[in-house]
């Protein structure tokens, strides 16, 4: 099935947050600090205020107070340790380009011009932004300090750091620079106070309900007085998972000038005013027996966070469950720096961890002179060794075999640098990915209308994976109707609540709710049909009925049919509605460990003189449960693989530590991969359902699409050249 | 962006007079560089003189040269039959630049005059002698991975980012300009300048002078040529280093050679000594390696661009190999 919104998107008819035009709307442009740490001594706004079209210039001294700021903790979910940045709260500067003022004008151009005229004087403190320089100051996250059972605590199975005493071992340090989501759509909001205590926002977010709750608490108004609209989201990859200072700044401005205010970040501001994948240092140690059984793994990681908020992510989880090893040690730390707070980015934590783990697997296999595929299969876990539970489903070996076949793994040579295509060195590499198969509480409303169409609504979002399409398909299957008769609406807080789009859990969560709402609708139809004395369905039970082509029929007598619309007519109903909530309440869930799995294979060519790398072929295979829609699921895998190519070869932001300021903050300097960097990416799914997780049998795809790609490419580069690059991105200068 | 006036003359003279007389007036062609600079407050012209209506777009043969109008688009020059036939090196260099979308807006004149991509130059919160003389060079002790290894000064270590210009300097092109004092012809190698103590001045073009065309003399470098650009991604990225190589080979002996580099200096960097070292020698990797070593004499790198000392000569060797092998 094709994307339901494909035509809207390619024709420009899909409307994104920044495209909303409200009557009397004004435009806000943020002014960022030019120091990294310290205090604002004074702000000179005179020139800006005098500039044409300027309505107001707001900063901590004159901005309306945000009632939520005085609460002990900022209303962000999930609650971090510390305090998310409170825009215009006081004179403190915590990171470079922190928003210190907003200029509101009658046009965007005038606001942008005047914003340049705002000048601040600072009292500067010494800052710390260089991760590697300050690495020794890393700390155990407070959550773990407070709760010895917290998963972020150190983990020791068997003997601690047992690899150290072993004869056959590898040890290495890995660095991943700060990466930015950089979706094409810039972060944007239109904030509109419809009344003193009624707020509507057209906001780029992955969580309409989360955003609604956050702003209700922030402004101390009833939740139902906040309306959040995010009908289309032009990519997000995680940076819409919680609210950011520019959103509150727009709402503050709208309050002050008493007009709707639109704020759209610039590309440069996307590097400081929203989150990012944190800089991470990792160390791996691994040992194995001569015949390829892993005897010990130690995996340490330090991730960057801000000075005012503790961001943590699950970098090491996979190391505890991916491979059999009697001894496993993991240690996780965070390093607070004078930077803005990170946020989850596609494959959060796991993608970082997989780079180290899957590189070390390749290094170990090489020491053992063993095929890395064989080495992985040999150490495959048949149940979750950490939780000592069976997998709900795990078809990783099947995925590996599929992928190996498609990439031509048999052409791979054990010895690096031995395969050539003309001047170019050829190499093959693989990497495995995994991510928890999650499901959350979600609800949906289904309405059958007199014309025989069905409208479904849920307050989820679609940041690009094709949620709308998948939901239409799920509903069509559930209702026994043609998909063209079904419309799915999302991205509004007025719809039944759903969780944020994240953690690869939307199909499992919202899809289950859509299915439940459709089932509920069918039951209502069945009751009506069988309750009608004149009907040939009289007395029929729900189980005895079939729903197909918009009609109910008796399973025993398929020719006894009644169309949905006729049932409505008989009942003299204009429409029929059912709303259902669905949640992960299957008790079986506790008896299993639930994960999605992926494996990525890369063929690369490296030019020995110039260090150019070409990924010439990629194959990504996934065990992601039942596949609802092959096209959108395939798109997800391809997009994730391209993201992984960026992580491996091109992406990484650089701060000049002297100033604490990014020096690679546009698309000319921060390189997201382009078409020419992406080969034909072949995708294959095992496509076997996992009904423990949810009634649809799906598992998540979004994260595993990217997790494991970067090490697959790094490993292929090693296989081509014999050069082991442990610091991403692998640019030509590292290979000559 | 500041407020500005906008005019669109149809005669060269009107355009030249306006820019010559008005202190803050500037020409605008494709706008792909100038508008970015204006949005970031790096240049703040009070008047834009749009030159797109001037009759400067033709590509034609003239007196043993190909004359390319200053308003010819990068994309159309790259695909032009005459250019492809007579100067395939130029066509390759143009196609290695930017993206198809940009090449369809960018003009030949604008390309030569594009400003450096040094990140300190682009951020008004950071020091930069080129943008604001006297504030210091942010890159010198800072992040200088993309910066110069030749001809830099302690005031500025930026590189000129143009690909097209590397081919034009190799091909001995001339820049034709009209100014308030009349017309003149500037050899391409003298068009851009080194930073010295005045890095704010990129070229020897005078205020009010309008580039009308470049003239590329016909040569025998029509076959064994190669423009090789090494960059951080496969397309749409500026050069780490690039090499324009052109050879005339007879019986496997090099009769004549042209060699220039991009991404290494404040101007497209012609390598005449290395060219001389190639002439009369057999077209072998050994010859190319020797020439590359000569080419790198005097190079000095900084903290983050040490790799150019190796990538530079390697790329020269590879470009010469590609040129020699071209059919
Ligand atoms: C993202 C990005 C990537 C890029 N990548 C590359 C790359 O890889 N390689 C590369 O070579 N280039 C690259 N470019 C630069 C691009 O080639 C230049 O921006 C373009 O060539 C400028 O031409 P223009 O006509 O748009 O100039 P404009 O922006 O209109 O003008 C640039 C300057 O030239 C002056 N000017 C223009 N025409 C004349 C004239 N006839 N006489 C006198 N003065 C004149 C203007 O006053 C202005 O100062 C890239 C640009 C961008 C934005
Ligand atoms: S290298 Fe030149 S352009 Fe870059 S900061 Fe130094 S002076 Fe400015």
């Amino acid at each position: 099935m094709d994307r339901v919104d494909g035509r809207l998107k390619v024709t420009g008819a899909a409307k994104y947050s920044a495209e909303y035009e409200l009557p009397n709307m004004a435009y806000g442009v943020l002014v960022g600090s030019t120091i990294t740490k310290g205090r604002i001594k004074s702000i000179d706004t005179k020139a800006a205020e005098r500039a044409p079209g300027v309505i107001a210039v707001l900063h901590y001294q004159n901005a309306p107070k945000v009632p939520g700021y005085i609460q002990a903790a900022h209303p962000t979910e999930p609650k971090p340790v510390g305090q998310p940045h409170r825009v215009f709260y006081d004179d403190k500067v915590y990171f470079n380009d922190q928003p210190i003022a907003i200029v509101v004008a009658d046009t965007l151009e005038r606001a942008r011009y005047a914003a340049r005229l705002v000048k601040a004087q600072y009292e500067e403190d010494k800052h710390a932004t260089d991760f590697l320089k300050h690495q020794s100051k890393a700390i155990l996250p407070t959550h773990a300090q407070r709760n010895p059972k917290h998963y972020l605590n150190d983990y020791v199975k068997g003997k601690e750091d047992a690899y150290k005493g072993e004869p056959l071992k590898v040890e290495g340090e890995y660095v991943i620079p700060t990466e930015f989501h950089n979706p094409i759509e810039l972060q944007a909001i239109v904030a509109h106070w419809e009344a003193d205590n009624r707020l509507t926002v057209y906001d780029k977010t992955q969580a309409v309900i989360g955003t609604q709750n956050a702003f209700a608490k922030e402004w101390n108004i009833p939740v139902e007085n906040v309306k959040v609209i995010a009908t289309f989201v032009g990519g997000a990859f995680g940076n819409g998972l919680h609210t950011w200072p520019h959103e509150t700044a727009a709402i503050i401005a709208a309050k002050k000038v008493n007009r709707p205010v639109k704020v759209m970040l610039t590309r440069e501001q996307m590097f400081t005013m929203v989150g990012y994948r944190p800089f991470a240092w990792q160390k791996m140690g691994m040992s194995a027996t001569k015949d390829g059984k892993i005897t010990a793994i130690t995996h340490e990681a330090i991730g960057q966070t801000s000075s005012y908020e503790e961001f943590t992510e699950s970098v090491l989880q996979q190391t505890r469950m991916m491979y059999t090893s009697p001894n496993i040690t993991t240690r996780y730390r965070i390093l607070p720096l004078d930077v803005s707070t990170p946020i989850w980015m596609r494959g959060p934590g796991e993608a970082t961890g997989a780079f180290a783990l899957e590189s070390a697997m390749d290094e170990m296999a090489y020491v053992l002179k063993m095929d890395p595929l064989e080495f992985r299969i040999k150490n495959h876990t048949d149940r979750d060794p950490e939780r000592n539970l069976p997998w709900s489903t795990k078809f990783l070996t099947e995925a590996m075999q599929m992928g190996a076949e498609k990439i031509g793994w048999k052409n791979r040579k054990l010895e690096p640098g031995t395969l050539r295509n003309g001047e170019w060195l050829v190499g093959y590499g693989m990497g495995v990915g995994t991510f928890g198969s999650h499901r959350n509480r979600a609800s949906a409303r289904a309405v059958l209308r007199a014309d025989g169409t069905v409208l479904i609504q849920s307050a989820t979002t679609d940041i690009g994976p094709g949620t709308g399409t998948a939901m239409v398909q799920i509903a069509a299957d559930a209702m026994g109707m043609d998909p063209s008769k079904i419309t799915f609406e999302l991205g509004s807080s007025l719809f039944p609540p759903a969780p944020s789009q994240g953690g690869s859990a939307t199909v499992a969560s919202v899809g289950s709710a859509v299915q439940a709402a459709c089932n509920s609708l069918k039951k209502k139809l069945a009751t009506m049909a069988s309750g009608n004395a004149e009907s040939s369905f009289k007395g029929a039970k729900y189980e005895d009925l079939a729903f197909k082509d918009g009609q109910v029929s008796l399973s025993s007598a398929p020719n006894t049919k009644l169309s949905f619309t006729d049932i409505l007519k008989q009942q003299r109903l204009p429409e029929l509605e059912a709303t259902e909530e669905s949640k992960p309440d299957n008790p079986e869930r506790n008896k299993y460990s639930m994960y999605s799995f992926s494996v990525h294979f890369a063929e690369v060519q490296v030019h020995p003189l110039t260090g150019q790398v070409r990924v010439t072929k990629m194959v990504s295979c996934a065990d992601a449960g039942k596949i609802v829609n092959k096209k959108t699921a395939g798109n997800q895998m391809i997009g994730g693989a391209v993201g992984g190519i960026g992580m491996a070869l091109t992406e990484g932001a650089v701060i000049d530590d002297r100033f604490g300021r990014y020096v690679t903050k546009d698309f000319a300097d921060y390189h997201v991969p382009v078409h020419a960097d992406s080969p034909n990416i072949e995708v294959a799914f095992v496509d076997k359902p996992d009904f423990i997780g949810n009634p649809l049998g799906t598992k998540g795809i979004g994260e595993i699409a990217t997790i494991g790609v970067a090490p697959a490419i790094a490993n292929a580069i090693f296989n081509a050249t014999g050069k082991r690059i442990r610091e991403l991105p692998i640019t030509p200068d590292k290979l000559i | 962006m500041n407020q500005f006036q906008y005019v669109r003359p149809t005669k060269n003279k009107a355009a030249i007079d306006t820019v010559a007389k008005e202190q803050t007036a500037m020409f605008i062609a494709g706008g792909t560089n100038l508008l970015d600079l204006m949005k970031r407050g790096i240049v703040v012209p009070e008047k834009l003189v749009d030159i797109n209506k001037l009759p400067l777009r033709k590509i034609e043969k003239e007196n043993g040269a190909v004359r390319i109008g200053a308003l010819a688009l990068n994309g159309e020059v790259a695909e032009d039959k005459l250019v492809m036939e007579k100067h395939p090196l130029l066509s390759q260099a143009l196609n290695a630049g930017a993206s198809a979308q940009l090449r369809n807006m960018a003009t030949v004149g604008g390309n030569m005059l594009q400003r450096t991509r040094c990140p300190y130059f682009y951020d008004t919160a950071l020091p930069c002698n080129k943008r604001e003389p006297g504030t210091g060079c942010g890159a010198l002790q800072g992040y200088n991975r993309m910066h110069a290894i030749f001809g830099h000064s302690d005031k500025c270590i930026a590189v000129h980012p143009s690909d097209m210009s590397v081919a034009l300097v190799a091909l001995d092109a001339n820049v034709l300009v009209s100014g308030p004092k009349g017309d003149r012809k500037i050899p391409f190698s003298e068009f851009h300048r080194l930073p010295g103590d005045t890095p704010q001045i990129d070229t020897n073009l005078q205020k009010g002078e309008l580039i009308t065309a470049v003239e590329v003399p016909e040569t025998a470098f029509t076959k064994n040529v190669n423009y090789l650009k090494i960059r951080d991604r496969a397309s749409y990225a500026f050069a780490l280093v690039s090499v324009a190589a052109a050879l005339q080979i007879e019986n496997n002996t090099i009769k004549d050679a042209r060699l220039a580099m991009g991404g290494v200096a404040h101007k497209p960097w012609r390598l005449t000594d290395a060219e001389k070292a190639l002439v009369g020698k057999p077209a072998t990797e050994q010859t190319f390696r020797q020439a590359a070593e000569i080419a790198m004499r005097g190079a000095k790198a900084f903290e983050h661009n040490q790799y150019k000392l190796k990538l530079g000569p390697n790329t020269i060797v590879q470009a010469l190999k590609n040129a020699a092998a071209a059919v």
Side-chain angles (χ1 to χ4, degrees):
Chain A
M1 192 185 128
D2 291 339
R3 279 186 187 250
V4 292
D5 49 8
R7 177 172 286 272
L8 291 178
K9 285 185 174 173
V10 298
T11 56
K15 199 166 173 178
Y16 295 87
S17 301
E19 294 176 309
Y20 283 85
E21 296 291 332
L22 303 189
N24 200 29
M25 189 171 72
Y27 298 80
V29 169
L30 291 160
V31 180
S33 72
T34 54
I35 67 155
T36 300
K37 188 180 180 183
R39 204 177 73 69
I40 304 165
K41 271 203 307 217
S42 61
I43 299 187
D44 180 0
T45 59
K46 278 194 215 77
E49 277 159 9
R50 275 198 304 265
V54 170
I55 302 161
V57 183
L58 304 176
H59 45 81
Y60 79 96
Q61 287 167 326
N62 66 350
K65 291 283 168 260
V66 178
Y69 280 176
I70 44 179
Q71 291 170 4
H74 191 277
T76 298
E77 296 293 341
K79 287 217 175 341
V81 173
Q83 167 77 59
H85 183 63
R86 292 171 290 183
V87 69
F88 311 150
Y89 179 65
D90 58 18
D91 60 355
K92 294 214 173 54
V93 176
Y94 299 94
F95 59 92
N96 206 305
D97 205 28
Q98 169 184 317
I100 58 163
I102 186 168
V103 175
V104 186
D106 56 355
T107 70
L108 172 64
E109 288 74 17
R110 288 171 146 181
R112 187 157 60 190
Y113 173 66
R116 277 218 335 270
L117 304 176
V118 176
K119 296 278 178 271
Q121 301 290 319
Y122 304 93
E123 203 175 277
E124 221 178 322
D125 288 343
K126 229 178 124 204
H127 62 255
T129 53
D130 185 330
F131 184 101
L132 296 173
K133 206 156 94 189
H134 296 278
Q135 195 174 323
S136 62
K137 295 177 195 141
I139 54 164
L140 185 67
T142 307
H143 280 309
Q145 288 181 28
R146 286 187 192 147
N147 172 10
K149 292 227 169 74
H150 197 277
Y151 80 99
L152 292 175
N153 273 293
D154 293 2
Y155 172 85
V156 179
K157 177 169 117 180
K159 191 168 156 247
E160 189 169 7
D161 293 330
Y163 79 95
K164 285 187 176 162
E166 293 293 314
L168 287 173
K169 62 168 177 272
V170 293
E171 197 182 69
E173 293 181 23
Y174 302 81
V175 172
I176 297 188
T178 301
E179 268 195 84
F180 286 86
H181 309 73
N182 269 324
I184 286 298
E185 186 201 13
L186 299 161
Q187 216 80 19
I189 181 171
V190 177
H192 183 201
W193 287 97
E194 307 213 31
D196 236 12
N197 64 350
R198 294 187 67 85
L199 173 69
T200 296
V201 295
Y202 303 87
D203 194 10
K204 170 163 185 167
T205 176
Q206 292 171 248
V208 287
I209 299 297
T211 301
Q212 180 190 36
N213 286 323
F215 291 148
K217 281 193 206 155
E218 191 172 85
W219 292 91
N220 200 14
I221 53 179
V223 172
E224 60 277 13
N225 283 14
V226 180
K227 190 162 98 188
V228 180
I229 305 293
T231 312
F232 290 97
V233 180
F237 309 110
N239 78 1
L241 280 171
H242 80 53
T243 58
W244 300 107
H246 72 276
E247 296 167 81
T248 300
I251 299 170
I252 290 175
K255 183 119 226 166
K256 176 77 179 188
V257 304
N258 206 16
R259 293 164 70 160
V261 170
K262 180 190 288 188
V263 171
M264 181 176 80
L265 296 188
T266 62
R267 184 55 68 186
E268 294 78 46
Q269 289 172 337
M270 294 288 284
F271 285 74
T272 46
M273 299 192 190
V274 295
Y276 54 89
R277 192 195 299 285
F279 192 107
W281 170 93
Q282 299 178 77
K283 186 171 172 188
M284 291 293 313
M286 189 183 286
S287 60
T289 60
K290 237 198 264 159
D291 62 347
K293 286 300 261 181
I294 298 174
T295 51
I297 307 177
T298 293
H299 190 171
E300 295 175 67
I302 306 175
Q304 157 180 327
T305 186
S306 67
S307 64
Y308 52 90
E309 197 178 3
E310 284 191 10
F311 173 80
T312 62
E313 56 184 358
S314 167
V315 179
L316 304 175
Q317 190 65 24
Q318 60 207 319
T319 302
R320 303 176 184 176
M321 46 64 77
M322 208 57 217
Y323 300 108
T324 53
S325 171
N327 305 291
I328 294 178
T329 306
T330 69
R331 297 185 198 96
Y332 180 69
R333 300 287 181 273
I334 49 174
L335 178 62
L337 293 172
D338 298 311
V339 293
S340 57
T341 309
I343 188 74
W344 302 285
M345 177 163 157
R346 198 170 192 179
E350 281 80 357
T352 301
F355 171 56
L357 176 64
E358 292 298 306
S359 294
M361 287 298 286
D362 199 70
E363 297 188 38
M364 191 74 238
Y366 184 65
V367 167
L368 299 169
K369 296 272 167 274
M370 208 171 164
D371 181 326
L373 173 61
E374 191 192 328
F375 181 52
R376 283 181 176 85
I377 291 173
K378 199 153 195 168
N379 292 285
H380 179 267
T381 46
D382 298 327
R383 34 189 298 127
D384 182 345
E386 185 194 9
R387 301 170 62 203
N388 194 22
L389 289 175
W391 306 113
S392 54
T393 50
K394 181 179 180 185
F395 299 104
L396 178 57
T397 331
E398 286 81 347
M400 284 185 183
Q401 276 148 0
M402 275 161 75
E405 176 81 17
K406 287 182 189 294
I407 196 86
W409 189 252
K410 60 179 190 311
N411 299 329
R412 182 185 186 274
K413 302 273 180 281
L414 213 54
E415 220 28 67
T418 42
L419 213 57
R420 271 180 188 265
N421 174 16
E423 289 174 347
W424 296 73
L425 296 162
V426 180
Y428 293 88
M430 66 179 288
V432 171
T434 186
F435 195 80
S437 166
H438 301 302
R439 179 182 168 198
N440 304 301
R441 179 189 294 256
S443 44
R445 184 172 103 101
V447 186
L448 172 66
R449 296 180 285 206
D451 62 357
T453 60
V454 167
L455 170 70
I456 301 182
Q457 295 171 323
S458 177
T460 182
T461 57
D462 185 351
I463 60 175
T467 303
T469 311
M471 295 307 146
V472 166
Q473 186 140 6
I474 289 167
D477 291 348
M479 289 302 300
M481 284 175 61
D482 191 82
S484 64
K485 293 215 151 54
I486 295 174
T487 312
F488 182 72
E489 291 182 347
L490 46 51
S492 165
S493 59
L494 297 175
F495 300 152
S500 62
Q501 180 158 66
S504 304
T506 301
V507 169
S509 312
V510 181
S512 298
V514 167
Q515 193 187 46
C518 290
N519 287 343
S520 173
L521 204 55
K522 286 194 302 189
K523 282 188 187 137
K524 286 189 180 178
L525 287 168
T527 313
M528 288 172 183
S530 56
N532 186 338
E534 287 127 60
S535 142
S536 38
F537 289 88
K538 188 168 164 26
K541 291 206 197 72
Y542 180 63
E543 295 73 43
D544 304 333
L545 301 176
F547 295 79
K548 215 180 143 218
D549 300 331
Q551 294 171 322
V552 192
S553 61
L554 281 173
S555 305
S556 54
N559 283 333
T560 309
K561 297 192 240 186
L562 191 56
S563 73
F564 298 169
T565 45
D566 283 344
I567 301 178
L568 288 187
K569 268 190 218 140
Q570 286 175 355
Q571 305 283 329
R572 297 206 167 75
L573 284 174
E575 56 179 39
L576 186 63
E577 194 235 289
T579 300
E580 288 295 329
E581 185 188 72
S582 132
K583 51 182 186 264
D585 49 7
N586 172 7
E588 287 292 294
R589 293 173 65 88
N590 301 324
K591 299 184 196 153
Y592 294 92
S593 186
M594 293 177 286
Y595 284 89
S596 288
F597 297 92
S598 63
V599 57
H600 309 276
F601 291 87
E603 179 194 83
V604 305
Q605 298 193 359
V606 183
H607 196 282
L609 269 190
T610 59
Q612 290 159 287
V613 178
R614 294 182 190 148
V615 181
T616 40
K617 193 172 171 190
M618 274 204 67
V619 177
S620 288
C621 300
D623 161 21
K626 180 179 174 303
I627 302 306
V628 172
N629 180 308
K630 282 235 159 65
K631 269 193 174 176
T632 54
N635 285 172
Q636 276 281 79
M637 293 296 288
I638 291 170
V642 174
I645 291 174
M647 186 176 192
L649 299 180
T650 61
E651 294 184 50
V654 179
I655 287 185
D656 183 330
D657 183 46
R658 296 171 303 164
F659 308 101
R661 198 166 167 91
Y662 281 105
V663 287
T664 55
K665 47 178 181 272
D666 59 29
F667 278 170
D669 294 326
Y670 181 94
H671 297 133
V672 294
V674 296
H675 280 296
D677 295 291
S678 313
N680 179 28
I681 297 164
E682 222 182 303
V683 174
F685 294 105
V686 177
D687 200 5
K688 289 199 179 145
D690 180 340
F691 291 115
I692 308 288
N694 66 66
L696 298 165
T698 64
K699 301 200 278 189
I701 298 175
E703 326 292 337
I704 56 164
T706 252
I707 301 165
V709 176
I713 293 169
N715 293 340
I717 289 173
F718 174 79
N719 186 237
T721 63
K723 291 190 173 120
R724 177 65 64 185
I725 310 299
R726 299 191 182 89
E727 189 174 334
L728 299 181
I730 307 175
T731 42
D733 47 316
K734 294 181 180 160
L735 292 170
I736 52 165
Chain B
M1 199 181 280
N2 57 306
Q3 288 209 5
F4 56 85
Q5 290 181 341
Y6 174 82
V7 292
R8 198 175 205 189
T10 51
K11 299 251 159 43
N12 292 1
K13 187 168 179 312
I16 293 165
D17 285 350
T18 309
V19 174
K21 276 194 209 108
E22 295 183 32
Q23 189 49 39
T24 65
M26 283 181 88
F27 298 123
I28 182 164
T32 60
N33 190 217
L34 188 55
L35 287 177
D36 276 354
L37 295 167
M38 289 173 68
K39 281 188 204 159
R40 299 190 198 205
I42 295 160
V43 292
V44 282
E46 280 163 32
K47 186 179 266 182
L48 287 185
V49 179
D50 183 337
I51 57 173
N52 285 294
K53 282 265 152 78
L54 304 184
L56 301 173
R57 198 166 162 177
K58 270 205 207 121
I59 304 170
E60 59 203 343
K61 236 166 127 166
E62 206 181 81
N63 307 331
V66 179
R67 191 179 187 281
I68 304 167
L71 287 174
L73 301 179
N74 287 189
E76 64 193 22
V77 179
E79 307 297 332
D80 184 83
K81 273 219 182 78
L82 187 61
V83 172
M84 282 164 60
E85 183 202 340
K86 302 287 181 196
H87 299 299
L89 184 63
L90 175 61
S91 169
Q92 286 182 22
L94 279 162
N95 274 330
S99 63
Q101 293 89 332
L102 281 158
R103 294 196 294 273
N104 286 339
M105 284 300 289
T107 64
V108 165
N111 189 314
M112 288 157 52
L113 290 173
Q114 62 178 298
R115 310 296 309 266
T116 183
R117 288 280 157 176
C118 173
Y120 299 88
F121 175 73
Y122 270 82
D123 186 343
T124 50
L126 294 174
C128 170
N129 284 329
K130 187 183 276 299
R131 193 188 62 244
E132 240 184 296
T135 52
C137 170
L140 192 62
Q141 312 284 339
Y143 182 63
N144 44 37
R145 181 169 175 268
M146 301 301 287
H147 288 72
I149 53 172
F150 292 116
H152 40 64
S153 72
D154 60 358
K155 297 283 186 298
C156 178
I157 60 170
V159 299
H160 191 259
S162 163
D163 289 299
M164 176 193 81
S165 299
V166 183
L168 287 177
V169 81
L171 294 169
D172 281 332
N174 290 302
V175 185
L176 309 186
V177 306
S178 292
K181 292 184 198 138
D183 297 351
R184 62 183 184 127
K185 197 187 243 193
I186 310 171
F188 208 90
S189 57
E190 288 163 31
F191 183 78
H192 296 92
R193 54 190 298 286
L194 291 179
D197 286 336
T198 49
Q200 68 275 21
I201 309 171
D202 287 352
T203 70
N204 289 317
L205 202 66
Q206 302 300 310
K207 172 84 177 145
E209 278 187 321
L210 175 76
I211 300 173
T212 53
V214 286
E215 183 188 79
V216 198
E218 279 189 45
T219 63
F221 298 110
T222 52
K223 184 175 138 242
N224 291 113
V225 300
N226 185 239
Y227 187 77
L228 180 58
K229 178 176 178 182
I230 310 303
R231 43 188 150 177
D232 283 330
R233 64 181 160 195
S235 165
Y236 194 37
F238 291 97
L240 298 170
V241 303
S242 67
V243 172
L247 297 171
Q248 279 175 44
I249 304 175
E250 269 170 38
N251 305 323
N252 201 37
T253 301
I254 301 168
K255 285 274 163 243
D256 199 359
R258 296 286 174 79
L259 204 57
M261 272 178 115
V264 293
H266 200 258
K267 58 192 282 189
W269 200 246
R270 179 82 180 261
L271 299 163
T272 37
D273 288 347
E275 288 172 4
K276 281 184 205 133
L278 288 165
V279 176
K281 306 257 172 60
T284 62
E285 184 158 348
Q286 201 193 347
T287 305
F288 301 157
R289 189 47 79 181
Q290 279 164 359
E293 270 159 32
I294 291 169
M296 294 308 289
R297 280 184 196 153
K300 180 181 167 282
F302 299 89
E303 186 181 350
H304 303 103
N305 67 352
Q306 292 289 332
Y307 71 92
K308 290 194 182 183
L309 299 180
K310 188 158 178 204
L311 185 60
N314 281 4
T315 308
I316 291 176
V317 171
Q318 189 58 40
L320 286 166
K321 277 168 78 172
N322 294 350
V327 280

